[in-house]
């Protein structure tokens, strides 16, 4: 048994490479977050995977399902390294698109509207049904930002 | 990449060890069938798995999902050999219960009502949601069989 190959097969079944784009209250720009997630009913194996990577978190989902998930770009980068070393067989396109977005985030492209549009167009579309429920593909939109001062335009905003 | 380890991980995610017990029209006794199944949207990988094993079939399911599945006890026995050599991490209990039923079928226990009750009580309960839809756990029942001649009792049956 080669655990890295096993984990690659398990990810080809249960894993999701997610790029979340969310418009949060009080933020001018949408937030772009790369997430790697494995959902399963077996908490023990998710804990083993978390131990193996040495990072990530686990939360309890619905219907007795748990999720192992990463939280930031640094963890995402380590996941990318792992699957470059251990190539996926099924989720290759999703992984490639996810890595392209990681590069764009490193280049700070996610901070401009153009960059977010580009990220939205190339981010992986095929999520695991469970992940899709949690990360629905809502249409994102930039808030109104004043071209003069860069601040959010609220009622009464003028120069 | 060790393909056998990958396939074990993929099965821990997408595989199902099924014991079907079905009462079919025109048959006196319920039919007991061991089935191994892997469901996925990626037809190419299922064809690769079929080639690897050298047996099994593929059918198109709903919502763009395909199934690789085995059809008889001989194929099931080969699947059992594979996972004895490549131990599962998540679906260990399901696999053990499935193997116990394979043994009972070899001992012809599935031909008696008592044996079928035993098989029903130990067969794997945790199927993949997709497989569970296809193999719902209906309550099985033996048809009325005449204790004198062993034939099915229909209206007007007498000695």
């Amino acid at each position: 048994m080669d655990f890295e190959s096993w984990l690659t097969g398990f990810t080809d079944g249960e894993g999701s490479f997610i790029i979340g784009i969310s418009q949060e209250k009080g933020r001018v720009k949408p937030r772009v977050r790369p997430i790697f997630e494995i959902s399963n009913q077996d908490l023990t194996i998710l804990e083993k995977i978390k131990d193996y990577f040495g990072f990530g978190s686990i939360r309890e989902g619905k219907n007795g399902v748990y999720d192992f998930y990463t939280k930031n770009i640094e963890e995402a980068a380590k996941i990318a390294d792992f699957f470059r070393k251990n190539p996926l067989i099924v989720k290759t396109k999703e992984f490639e698109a996810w890595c392209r977005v990681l590069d764009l985030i490193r280049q700070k492209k996610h901070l401009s509207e153009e960059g977010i549009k580009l990220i939205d167009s190339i981010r992986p579309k095929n999520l695991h049904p469970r992940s899709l429920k949690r990360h629905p593909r809502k249409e994102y939109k930039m808030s109104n930002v004043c071209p003069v001062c860069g601040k959010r335009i609220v009622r009464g905003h003028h120069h």
Side-chain angles (χ1 to χ4, degrees), chain A:
Chain A
M1 157 66 81
D2 167 36
F3 185 71
E4 294 192 357
S5 298
W6 179 93
L7 183 51
T8 306
F10 196 60
T11 299
D12 265 327
E14 301 287 83
S16 284
F17 296 92
I18 303 157
I19 300 294
I21 303 181
S22 55
Q23 182 71 56
E24 290 168 22
K25 266 192 179 173
R27 282 176 66 99
V28 172
K29 289 173 189 167
R31 194 172 182 176
V32 178
R33 284 184 310 154
I35 303 159
F36 171 68
E37 194 171 277
I38 301 182
S39 301
N40 201 263
Q41 293 186 318
D42 188 320
L43 178 58
T44 312
I45 189 59
L46 297 182
E47 281 169 346
K48 191 172 172 176
I49 290 168
K50 181 170 176 272
D51 284 351
Y52 173 79
F53 282 124
F55 57 82
S57 303
I58 294 175
R59 73 181 149 225
E60 192 173 351
K62 285 180 185 174
N63 305 321
V65 170
Y66 298 86
D67 309 311
F68 164 83
Y69 65 101
T70 63
K71 281 182 292 189
N72 53 47
I73 182 107
E74 290 77 20
E75 292 177 356
K78 288 177 190 167
I79 294 293
D81 288 344
F82 176 85
F83 289 111
R84 278 201 197 97
K85 199 181 143 212
N86 299 281
L88 295 149
I89 298 181
V90 175
K91 296 183 172 165
T92 45
K93 280 184 189 167
E94 288 86 336
F95 177 64
E96 279 163 26
W98 193 74
C99 287
R100 275 192 68 196
V101 175
L102 292 191
D103 283 342
L104 291 172
I105 293 172
R106 276 190 210 101
Q107 297 162 30
K108 310 278 181 207
K109 301 284 188 194
H110 63 301
L111 301 179
S112 73
E113 180 157 12
E114 242 179 21
I116 292 175
K117 275 185 185 167
L118 176 63
I119 288 170
D120 186 44
S121 69
I122 64 174
R123 64 177 167 154
K125 270 103 197 148
N126 294 327
L127 302 186
H128 193 286
R130 280 193 292 255
S131 295
L132 200 57
K133 265 188 197 170
R134 198 171 310 108
H135 303 280
R137 290 185 61 81
K138 284 180 207 155
E139 204 177 323
Y140 81 93
K141 53 181 181 192
M142 296 287 280
S143 297
N144 285 333
V145 177
C146 173
V148 178
C149 65
K151 284 186 184 164
R152 196 168 188 169
I153 295 173
V154 291
R155 208 162 56 162
H157 186 102
H158 61 87
H159 290 276

